[in-house]
């Protein structure tokens, strides 16, 4: 567990992430009580890959706490990456600031960076791998809008194969009682077996359906996602999949009046604009709740005293991960770290399964 | 009238813009009294087209009020425009912040954006169309430096055909009594007939001259403008016009000692650097007054409770404007809105005249 | 002497820079006492050449003083350089803010800019010419970590021919008593004669050696530097020199236990990462001390009342400097200004020697 950083929501116990969610709910009820909670503190947003929305959400969160923000978001036109290792940059910047939010296109880069940092580091997205503050945002939204999360029917629609926010949401929701997941996807984009296994082990249930229409009537929550072009190996495959699921007013007629519609945004075409004015459409509120989630996370990490080890796997000499997009292949001094779970081994940086 | 936003200065009554100008004058006299007036508030500067000077002026204004600023200014290298509608971006950002200053290369884009926003929106320039905070800056400068604006002889020099700041300044100055406009331009860059009509209807006067020399002796104000390359259809035409008017020390010898020289900046060659040290040269002061103008505007909008409709024209199905650079042709869900004035119809977004 | 600006550390007397260093040491001992010392003030970071680390250090410094920051760091994609002179930009921005930190690729550009500015200007690097806040950082580091600077043996290793931080550090350290400089470089990258002359005149001593090994045992300080590609005329020459000096744990075994290892960062390969955990490695601390140095400098300039002339040389008509990378050749209205020192004349902007 890496309490001093937030790299992966799985590093936290349920008690730990619920504490953050509870604090976010409190902040949402009385934001002015927290307007100086981060006074004199500085957040660095180190965005090695641009993500304007996520960056603006972090900046807003820090300003709403009375703090300040430095950072960069375009290392190609800046001078930051010129021959300097991630570790050196993190060493320097963590000497300037109190907390860092980092985004990188390489899987595991934020975990590698956290090892060098002298201050808490938040994963604001590492390639297609993890994006834990999105999941915190989703949880805060559900807690504010739904209250009790137990005994709910939760539909998740779109690219269940590649969607990192989907996988992380399922992982965390499985901690609640008697959740029924309704997995809405094409046969090509089914939820991978290991997440079905997680659901199964938790005592929750799932079923797979091919259309929104056949499921929407029973749902308490409908979590829509975008089909992301960059996750597909061919444009042809992307084009086949991208417009299969579109939520419109007609389909919404079949839904419960208290349905909660979420979406991590940005959307492309998967929710028609006419749905926006429906009171069940919560995705813009969700973006706003994301600021409260990040405020709560920053506050929690600023007060964290814990200095536990960042890595927990076994490092074996100078071996590298078989995943070419894993940070172990790109940053010197970052050899493979192996996590063993039962019969299977994984790379601690990018979670790729390893052969023995 | 769109009191909740500032898209076009024409949307405000004279009383409304004078209130903002009065407040700016007050702020200029005692800026420290306003140093915390915007404490805890956040401004977003959404610059879809870069404009470093305007952005820095808005940022300074917000900081001088004790507030904070988020934003972007380079959507090409950022991720903001990837497949997301203007409306969605504005919905999200207006959930984060308290006021938005937006600049866009497309005419009418800021008006379209304001419809989606849940907070006040300021037009920081929409293509060659409107730039109302420049006009507020000009008015604040004239009020501080000239006091009473009635009965003045005001020379305006340069591209009177295409200059948006010129048109807007004439529109507002016509509300004062007995203004005489001296329009200094080449025959190719004359003031368009509809603005002459505005002057005429207001009871003010104008005359057209071809040179600075023949007019400068009588002027109370000389408003110089830059010939903007991007407004010309050919480089040849631009090159013919660009160096026709140059204010230098020799011409200034003919002017009154209390003449006020303004320029929206940046200048290219139309005012010689030797003029800068003349006490009549006010253009750098004018840039500073622009900060006070924007402070007053931000404060006024932050305290605005009004939620009037943003659009006032008639929307006819899914028709688009004949101007290809009008936002109705680029943003889905933004059909033409028609404003009728006497015999003539206009597009509400870009003010292009429409055929019946 | 240009007390109102910091263009070149040589413009300050020893008393003046020691006052800044003393203040930085005080700030480092009790930073919270200065947390509101710059409240309500604004710093502009005008980076005509990107330098993310230096910019973040300045931003952090200003935030740690309770102030705010505006600026730009990518004029190519922004609109700032479009046809506007440096002087005009500085005039406008200095009307907005309280202090400016400027970086430019052209030598002398910051001195030229300071002439136009109505507020203090800090040189954050002008091409390969000067970088005085790096030298302040080095001095603050030595003062905090070493205490008394007199009677020290100071090794300086790397490109002593082209390194601007090295030259500036030698210039200032020569003001202390009985310093022995150990100059570690290849024959191609020896310290230029004029800096040897400075050492000689000051009563300090130097000797030149070819390897770290032969000198490290006696050193109190080892100042490592990066071989900068951009300072070499051919890639071949760069490749010959770049890996000659590498500090590793083996060499460190020969050193005193109280050796202080400094480096201006970023490093490439000249210090092995294994050295980082050695308590003698101070370069990451040094980066942190750089924030205190800049806080002290900003505070000193904010309270400066002095309005002395910026230029001290003789301006001769419209002559330009023979150095093509000197600002006199690029900014209109900036003719050569000649400084006479004994038999030799120099360009005041770029310090190039001039022929009579």
């Amino acid at each position: 567990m890496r309490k001093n950083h937030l790299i992966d929501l799985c590093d936290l116990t349920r008690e730990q992430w619920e504490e953050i969610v509870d604090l976010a709910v409190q902040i949402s009820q009385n934001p002015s009580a927290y307007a100086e909670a981060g006074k004199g503190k500085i957040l660095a947003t180190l965005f090695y890959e641009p993500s304007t929305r996520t960056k603006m959400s972090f900046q807003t969160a820090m300003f709403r706490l009375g703090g300040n923000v430095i950072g960069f978001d375009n290392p190609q036109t800046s001078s930051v990456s010129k021959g300097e290792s991630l570790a050196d940059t993190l060493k320097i910047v963590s000497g300037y600031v109190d907390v860092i939010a980092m985004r990188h296109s390489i899987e595991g880069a934020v975990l590698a960076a956290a090892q060098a940092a002298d201050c808490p580091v938040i994963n604001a997205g590492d390639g297609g791998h993890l994006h834990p503050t999105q999941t915190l945002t989703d949880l805060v939204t559900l807690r504010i809008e739904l209250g009790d999360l137990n005994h709910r029917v939760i539909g998740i629609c779109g690219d269940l194969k590649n969607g990192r926010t989907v996988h992380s949401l399922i992982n965390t929701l499985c901690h609640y009682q008697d959740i029924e997941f309704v997995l809405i996807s094409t046969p090509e984009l089914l939820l991978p077996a290991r997440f079905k296994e997680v659901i199964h082990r938790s005592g929750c249930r799932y079923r797979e359906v091919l259309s929104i229409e056949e499921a929407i009537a029973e749902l308490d929550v409908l979590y829509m996602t975008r089909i992301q072009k960059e996750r597909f190996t061919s444009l042809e495959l992307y084009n086949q999949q991208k417009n299969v699921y579109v939520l419109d007013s007609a389909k919404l007629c079949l839904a419960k009046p208290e349905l909660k519609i979420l979406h991590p945004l940005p959307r492309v075409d998967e929710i028609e604009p006419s749905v926006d004015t429906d009171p069940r459409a919560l995705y813009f509120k969700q973006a706003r709740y994301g600021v409260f989630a990040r405020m709560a996370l920053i506050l929690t990490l600023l007060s964290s005293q814990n200095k536990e080890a960042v890595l927990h796997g076994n490092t074996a000499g100078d071996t590298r991960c078989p995943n070419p997009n894993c940070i172990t292949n790109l940053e010197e001094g970052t050899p493979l770290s192996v996590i063993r779970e039962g019969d299977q081994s994984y790379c601690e940086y990018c979670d790729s399964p390893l052969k023995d």
Side-chain angles (χ1 to χ4, degrees), chain A:
Chain A
M1 209 208 47
R2 303 166 192 126
K3 272 203 241 173
N4 207 41
H5 306 290
L6 178 60
I7 307 302
D8 182 347
L9 217 49
C10 294
D11 300 331
L12 303 191
T13 61
R14 175 174 171 178
E15 287 65 37
Q16 287 172 332
W17 54 256
E18 280 205 320
E19 211 177 284
I20 299 170
V21 172
D22 286 347
L23 179 55
V25 174
Q26 276 178 48
I27 294 174
S28 77
Q29 288 159 352
N30 189 11
S32 62
Y34 297 85
E36 308 228 309
K39 204 183 164 189
K41 301 295 182 185
I42 303 178
L43 164 74
T45 53
L46 306 187
F47 276 52
Y48 286 85
E49 171 185 67
S51 175
T52 308
R53 283 168 211 83
T54 304
K55 196 190 67 171
M56 289 198 294
S57 182
F58 272 107
Q59 290 176 318
T60 302
M62 195 61 184
F63 290 144
R64 294 289 184 209
L65 293 168
N68 270 307
V69 183
I70 66 165
F72 55 78
D73 53 0
N74 202 359
Q76 294 81 350
T77 68
S78 90
S79 62
V80 85
S81 49
K82 271 190 208 152
E84 189 175 68
S85 69
L86 261 187
D88 275 17
T89 303
L90 268 284
K91 269 277 176 211
I92 295 172
V93 175
S94 67
Y96 293 169
V97 303
D98 303 287
V99 55
I100 290 172
M102 177 174 159
R103 188 181 189 102
H104 204 288
S105 57
I106 300 299
E107 299 169 30
V110 186
L111 177 55
Q115 294 171 63
D118 292 318
C119 77
V121 174
I122 298 169
N123 187 352
D126 59 332
H129 180 225
L130 298 166
H131 192 20
T133 59
Q134 180 62 52
T135 308
L136 277 181
T137 298
D138 300 340
L139 290 170
V140 169
T141 304
L142 291 172
R143 273 287 307 282
I144 293 177
E145 294 288 339
L146 212 57
D148 185 7
L149 303 192
N150 298 303
H151 317 293
R152 299 295 185 173
V153 183
I154 294 178
I156 306 182
C157 175
D159 179 357
L160 308 189
K161 185 179 168 206
N162 301 298
R164 58 185 170 175
T165 57
V166 164
H167 301 163
S168 179
L169 184 63
I170 288 172
N171 267 333
T172 46
L173 287 179
C174 278
H175 286 88
Y176 292 95
Q177 279 177 11
D178 184 31
I179 300 283
E180 180 178 354
F181 293 98
V182 181
L183 306 171
I184 310 165
S185 77
T186 60
E188 290 81 9
L189 298 176
L190 292 177
L191 188 71
R194 58 185 176 132
F195 295 102
K196 290 178 181 169
E197 182 69 18
V198 169
I199 298 174
H200 183 72
R201 277 202 310 260
S202 73
C204 293
R205 285 156 296 139
Y206 70 87
R207 62 200 176 86
E208 296 179 305
V209 301
L210 289 166
S211 74
I212 294 176
E213 291 86 331
E214 62 189 292
I216 195 167
E218 319 155 55
L219 301 180
D220 296 309
V221 172
L222 173 54
Y223 194 98
M224 295 294 296
T225 64
R226 182 165 55 108
I227 307 289
Q228 292 187 268
K229 208 186 210 163
E230 57 269 37
R231 307 280 176 252
F232 289 84
T233 47
S234 81
L235 189 64
E236 198 190 355
L237 191 55
Y238 167 69
N239 284 330
Q240 270 170 35
Q241 298 287 335
K242 68 176 178 178
N243 285 322
V244 176
Y245 299 109
V246 177
L247 182 63
D248 56 23
S249 302
K251 289 179 193 125
L252 257 188
C253 287
L254 308 168
K256 292 184 190 175
E258 63 277 13
L259 173 69
K260 313 297 179 194
I261 308 168
L262 273 65
H263 189 297
L265 300 180
R267 67 172 152 185
V268 183
D269 294 312
E270 58 278 0
I271 302 181
E272 289 212 339
S274 65
V275 172
D276 297 0
T277 51
D278 191 298
R280 292 170 286 191
L282 298 180
Y283 29 91
F284 291 118
K285 273 192 177 177
Q286 184 183 359
R288 200 151 53 215
Y289 294 149
V291 174
F292 300 126
R294 292 179 176 99
M295 288 170 78
L297 174 61
I298 291 169
L299 272 186
T300 301
L301 292 178
L302 283 178
S303 65
S304 154
Q305 299 296 326
N306 206 310
K307 293 265 177 187
E308 294 188 21
V310 173
L311 282 191
H312 297 82
N314 292 312
T315 310
D318 203 41
T319 327
R320 305 284 151 167
C321 175
N323 170 8
N325 203 35
C326 173
I327 190 67
T328 59
N329 292 297
L330 290 136
E331 170 91 354
E332 234 180 300
T334 307
L336 179 63
S337 171
V338 180
I339 293 282
R340 191 132 202 110
E341 267 180 33
D343 288 351
Q344 181 61 57
S345 296
Y346 296 94
C347 168
E348 187 170 8
Y349 288 96
C350 71
D351 292 320
S352 293
L354 304 171
K355 283 185 194 133
D356 280 315

